[in-house]
Amino acid sequence: MPMDSKDRKIGKNKTYLSSFEFAITGLKTAYLEEKNIRVHLAAAVIAITAGVIFQLNLSEWRWLLLAIFLVIAMEMINTTFENVVDLVTDCHFHPIAKKVKDMAAGIVLLTAFFAVIVGITIFGPKLWHWVTLLLK
């Protein structure tokens, strides 16, 4: 995707506001162009809703939000690696490019496993308690 002429500047951003605007543009781009980001955000909404329903304590909220932010951040890093590799290789196969892409995807997978463990640790006992109350 070609850059707008206003984006073709060399050097550092002139202000913190311009840096912030570029960061917001990056978040919007990730959301609009990357299906996996939208999937992770949907899962985050579900997890946060469950957290409200189960009235998580402060420590549980910290772990849950850490897991959510890590998964989304790692997905954005993975997407960044994929885009840079595609740019450098002109979208042609190269074994090192494949290795880089695979390892970046592995980072997301590891982080997702961490998020699942956090979710089971937080919600498992609460769900078990709820189920046992229903079965009585």
Side-chain angles (χ1 to χ4, degrees):
M1 180 180 300
M3 294 178 10
D4 293 337
S5 60
K6 68 178 181 169
D7 292 337
R8 293 184 194 162
K9 66 182 200 173
I10 297 175
K12 292 283 187 180
N13 297 328
K14 299 286 186 217
T15 64
Y16 288 111
L17 180 59
S18 64
S19 295
F20 184 76
E21 288 171 344
F22 288 130
I24 294 298
T25 299
L27 292 172
K28 286 179 187 175
T29 301
Y31 177 79
L32 294 172
E33 296 182 10
E34 297 300 322
K35 178 186 68 156
N36 287 343
I37 293 287
R38 293 190 299 276
V39 169
H40 293 309
L41 286 172
V45 168
I46 292 167
I48 289 169
T49 301
V52 170
I53 291 168
F54 286 109
Q55 300 176 345
L56 301 184
N57 65 42
L58 182 59
S59 177
E60 292 167 327
W61 276 114
R62 286 179 180 145
W63 281 103
L64 182 64
L65 294 174
L66 175 65
I68 289 169
F69 282 97
L70 281 176
V71 169
I72 292 170
M74 293 303 121
E75 186 63 54
M76 289 182 71
I77 290 170
N78 177 47
T79 299
T80 301
F81 273 106
E82 288 177 352
N83 286 319
V84 170
V85 166
D86 289 345
L87 177 68
V88 170
T89 62
D90 198 24
C91 296
H92 291 93
F93 177 80
H94 190 282
I96 295 174
K98 179 186 180 331
K99 194 184 296 188
V100 169
K101 285 183 165 189
D102 289 349
M103 287 189 284
I107 292 169
V108 177
L109 184 61
L110 280 175
T111 310
F113 282 148
F114 170 75
V116 168
I117 291 167
V118 168
I120 290 169
T121 303
I122 291 172
F123 294 114
K126 296 174 187 317
L127 287 169
W128 181 252
H129 178 72
W130 184 71
V131 168
T132 56
L133 287 177
L134 284 175
L135 294 177
K136 285 185 178 181

